[in-house]
Amino acid sequence: MREYAWLIAFIPFVSWLLIAFFGHRFKHGGDKIGIVALTISLVLATMVLVETANVAMQGEALGAHGPALAAAAAQAPEMKGESPDIGPTFDRSITWIKIGSIDITTGFQVDPLTAVMLFMVSLVSLMVHVFSQGYMHGDVRYTRFYATLSLFTAAMLTLLLADNYILFVISWEVMGLCSYLLIGHWFEKPGPMMASMKAFITTRIGDVGMLLGIFLTYWATGSFAFKDIAAATAAGKVAGPMLTAMAVLIFMGAVGKSAQFPLHVWLPDAMEGPTPVSALIHAATMVAAGVYLVARSYPIFHLTGEALAVVAYIGGFTALFAASIATLAQDIKKVLAYSTISQLGYMVMALGVGGYTAGVFHLLTHAFFKSLLFLGSGSVIHALHTQDMHEMGGLSKKMKVTTWTFIIGTLALAGVFPFAGFWSKDEILLAAFNSPFKLLFWVGILVAFMTAYYMTRAVTLTFFGKPRDHHKFEHAHESPSNMTVPLIILAVFATFSGLVNSPLTGNWFAKFVHFGAEHGETSLLVTGLATAAALLGILVGYAIYGWNVIDRKKAIRAAGPLYTALKNKWYIDEIYDATVVRAYMAFSAFTAWFDQHVIDLVVNVVGWAGYQMGLACGDFDLEVVDGAVNGVGAGVMAGGSRIRRVQTGYLQAYALALFGAVILGIIVYQVIGG
């Protein structure tokens, strides 16, 4: 089945084409095309996961990684040892570009990491597609929404299957484009429009670093293929500062995409987009791509302690920083957004301290319970038409399915036994405890307490107590079945998915997805501290917002400047505005002044000198020089006014242009290449 794994990504791509071109001809805008496509992809992904697991359990050494690394070991006297085992890998590749001695291949690969991620993305995407039927019903751009969802899912699945950095980056950028389109789905409103631009520009900063790292990797290893890079690093062909530079630059892509400090600022604003988008892209899949990038590039990272330290400390700081802001967020989606940033920091920290399996495992479980929480918040917003938790309350009486599934997601996120987050969070804390980064272990314990606290606050304000807006409460009702069924399914995974790496299953996940030695040990001390932190957070949260034993107004006055700083998100946006934005505006103003007063002056002086020479020769016209200079600017303006007409805003036109370019490229290649 792994031989046909490429179909898992190809089928959603076909659904994008069908919805984009013909969706408006269907009664429901083509939504069922996307749902059927994702259902097929999920079935295929499940079959691939089962087959890969069977191969791994049988101990078969299929695929290209083993032979490639063995060959590298035989040929390299300076070999430091084979790259750590990552499990059975199946891959297929073809030559994509050949220019002289440069031979760039592309293809797909399936290993345990790929298999579990394909299953997770397919499942969550299918749930979001179904949920969106109710949430987006009646939207003026309903068909476009589903088309973009399908394209995003196809890109994410392609990224997971890619066996090289080139195809990886192409998929990465398509995901970024879809994120921009979906955040700005309601572009007629200023909030979504500005948020989409902020997300696109901020993530581009990290992408520049990632591209530099990938090019540096190619220069050092001679290949973009993951298996070749793993073989080269294992053979010791790259080491020292070069290896560290490669890893840190690649990590910049993860900092941008996975919203790590200081490039985290785009994710909270991205909540301006439709809630199903927040669940799919900004909780479960796209933001997870940065963590996946580090995991996929681990053959580079694990050999450089300096880069791992950077990864670990940025992840730990991000986890603590974002959790602190979530404690006072008022918008239910902003609470979940900062929680996502914090949990992504947890995963990054795990990879930095050497907890490869722990980081990937939390990536998997987090996708289930955080998408559940986002869709649950969408159910609440759909019922009340507000995101302000201070306008909610008492909803447990009217929205029982939403209430209990949201509570399950909260318990999983808080890491309460036996829910999924308990098992994956403990793995991360254990990895930190056993690493040289002992400080990060205590940071993780503090974050566990804060997570339980702010989620208890959110649950209490939203679902319990007395209604604070009686008008909204009176009109509230449970969401339709096409919204509640996905909540129930995700709640099941949020409850039981963690058991795959528990003593009950013999820590099966650690034996399946690992980098080098399998990690399946436990620690009663770590488990006890983590559980105590979670229960204490729940107790404090309910004491303040449920039992009201602590006067909130007095607590705010006691906190003083700390409360103000947290309420204003540590003033990070204001700092960016005062430094980066104003510096850019000042530089723009300077370049405009320089053009008008210096460039024009030089042109006039040169023109005057030429004019004087022309007078002596009798054949010079100053107006010709002036016309030539100004004509350049006029030509650019005229060309731009015509070229921008190509941007029609219609996906059909873009798709037609894309395929036309591909066909033209093939023709040119055949003619030139013979």
Side-chain angles (χ1 to χ4, degrees), residues 316-337:
F317 179 80
T318 302
L320 180 61
F321 172 83
S324 69
I325 299 175
T327 58
L328 289 179
Q330 192 168 318
D331 183 317
I332 187 171
K333 286 180 66 177
K334 291 290 179 70
V335 173
L336 298 178

Side-chain angles (χ1 to χ4, degrees), residues 135-346:
Y135 191 89
M136 299 299 292
H137 178 72
D139 188 85
V140 294
R141 286 180 287 274
Y142 188 80
T143 299
R144 172 179 168 175
F145 175 83
Y146 266 93
T148 311
L149 271 188
S150 291
L151 179 60
F152 167 81
T153 305
M156 182 69 195
L157 293 169
T158 303
L159 178 143
L160 298 176
L161 287 164
D163 74 337
N164 66 93
Y165 277 119
I166 297 296
L167 186 57
F168 185 99
V169 169
I170 293 172
S171 305
W172 180 280
E173 292 304 320
V174 174
M175 287 164 51
L177 171 63
C178 292
S179 175
Y180 167 79
L181 294 174
L182 290 168
I183 294 172
H185 180 74
W186 294 315
F187 54 78
E188 64 274 9
K189 300 177 183 179
M193 178 188 67
M194 296 301 295
S196 62
M197 290 295 294
K198 185 175 183 179
F200 197 80
I201 293 172
T202 305
T203 53
R204 291 288 78 72
I205 297 172
D207 291 353
V208 170
M210 179 185 70
L211 287 173
L212 291 175
I214 290 173
F215 293 148
L216 188 62
T217 300
Y218 178 80
W219 183 77
T221 65
S223 178
F224 290 111
F226 297 136
K227 63 180 180 182
D228 296 338
I229 294 169
T233 54
K237 295 180 179 178
V238 190
M242 174 65 75
L243 193 65
T244 301
M246 288 161 48
V248 172
L249 286 171
I250 289 173
F251 178 60
M252 285 183 64
V255 171
K257 215 70 156 186
S258 290
Q260 297 297 284
F261 182 88
L263 299 181
H264 68 283
V265 292
W266 67 269
L267 184 56
D269 287 16
M271 298 303 108
E272 293 284 351
T275 301
V277 172
S278 303
L280 177 63
I281 295 183
H282 306 125
T285 54
M286 190 188 82
V287 292
V291 181
Y292 178 81
L293 169 65
V294 177
R296 180 54 69 198
S297 305
Y298 221 63
I300 298 173
F301 281 86
H302 87 286
L303 293 173
T304 165
E306 294 84 357
L308 286 180
V310 171
V311 172
Y313 281 113
I314 287 182
F317 179 80
T318 302
L320 180 61
F321 172 83
S324 69
I325 299 175
T327 58
L328 289 179
Q330 192 168 318
D331 183 317
I332 187 171
K333 286 180 66 177
K334 291 290 179 70
V335 173
L336 298 178
Y338 280 107
S339 173
T340 299
I341 297 171
S342 179
Q343 295 302 305
L344 290 168
Y346 240 110

Side-chain angles (χ1 to χ4, degrees), residues 636-649 654:
V636 172
M637 293 290 290
S641 67
R642 286 166 173 77
I643 293 174
R644 67 168 170 255
R645 295 175 184 173
V646 176
Q647 304 298 322
T648 62
Y654 297 156

Side-chain angles (χ1 to χ4, degrees), residues 11 28 423 517 564:
I11 292 172
H28 298 289
W423 305 102
T564 305

Side-chain angles (χ1 to χ4, degrees), residues 32 69 161 171 189 217 257 288 308 323 327-329 363-364 374 426 428 450 456 505 515 561 576 585 592 599 657:
K32 288 182 174 56
L69 294 175
L161 287 164
S171 305
K189 300 177 183 179
T217 300
K257 215 70 156 186
L308 286 180
T327 58
L328 289 179
L363 177 62
L364 178 69
F374 264 109
D426 275 20
I428 293 175
M450 296 169 73
T456 302
T505 59
F515 189 84
Y576 268 122
M585 297 301 292
I599 299 298

